[in-house]
Amino acid sequence: MKFVEETKLLTHRGTMAILNAAVARAEALGQPQCIVIVDRSGEVLAEIRMTGAKFLSRKSALAKALTAASTGVETTSIPEAVRTYIGLATDGSVTGLPGGLPIVLDGVLLGGIGVGSGSGDQDIDVASAGLAAIGA
């Protein structure tokens, strides 16, 4: 019987690399964003509401990060038919909105990133740029 397991964790340096790259991409797009990074247990490691980003988008960015960290897949993988129900059942903590990506490195789920305030394509683009900073 196994009682202890080794695991990989996203460090503060990795978190900052993701955040800085995501902010840089949002700036390049000219679209201020809310960006939230969580670890695999859903604990917020970093977040920012860029100047000019919609303040309510912070809530959707958090839900996107939590969904991606919890499911291990991008938020748009949540089936359309259950998105409303799962959102209600989780008090808005799970969403199918675009812009949530899991942070997976070497096959290990480390957490999730959620981005909101732009179009769905912009949110995904910014999240992807963040992940690319650590090779995820």
Side-chain angles (χ1 to χ4, degrees):
M1 183 176 288
K2 193 172 181 183
F3 294 106
V4 178
E5 192 173 294
E6 278 190 56
T7 186
K8 293 183 180 187
L9 298 173
L10 182 61
T11 66
H12 66 277
R13 286 196 171 100
T15 301
M16 291 306 298
I18 293 169
L19 185 62
N20 287 331
V23 166
R25 182 61 185 151
E27 289 175 336
L29 293 173
Q31 177 57 60
Q33 295 279 23
C34 292
I35 303 163
V36 179
I37 300 167
V38 300
D39 67 14
R40 68 170 176 235
S41 69
E43 189 66 34
V44 174
L45 299 175
E47 71 175 290
I48 189 168
R49 181 173 70 89
M50 295 173 63
T51 304
K54 301 169 193 154
F55 69 88
L56 285 178
S57 293
R58 187 229 167 241
K59 290 184 179 191
S60 66
L62 175 60
K64 293 173 187 185
L66 290 171
T67 301
S70 176
T71 63
V73 296
E74 65 182 275
T75 50
T76 55
S77 295
I78 302 293
E80 187 76 39
V82 300
R83 286 182 185 179
T84 300
Y85 302 112
I86 202 164
L88 290 170
T90 62
D91 199 26
S93 294
V94 176
T95 183
L97 293 171
L101 300 177
I103 304 170
V104 179
L105 195 58
D106 299 326
V108 177
L109 178 63
L110 302 176
I113 180 171
V115 179
S117 207
S119 69
D121 288 341
Q122 288 172 324
D123 295 352
I124 292 169
D125 188 3
V126 169
S128 296
L131 296 183
I134 64 164

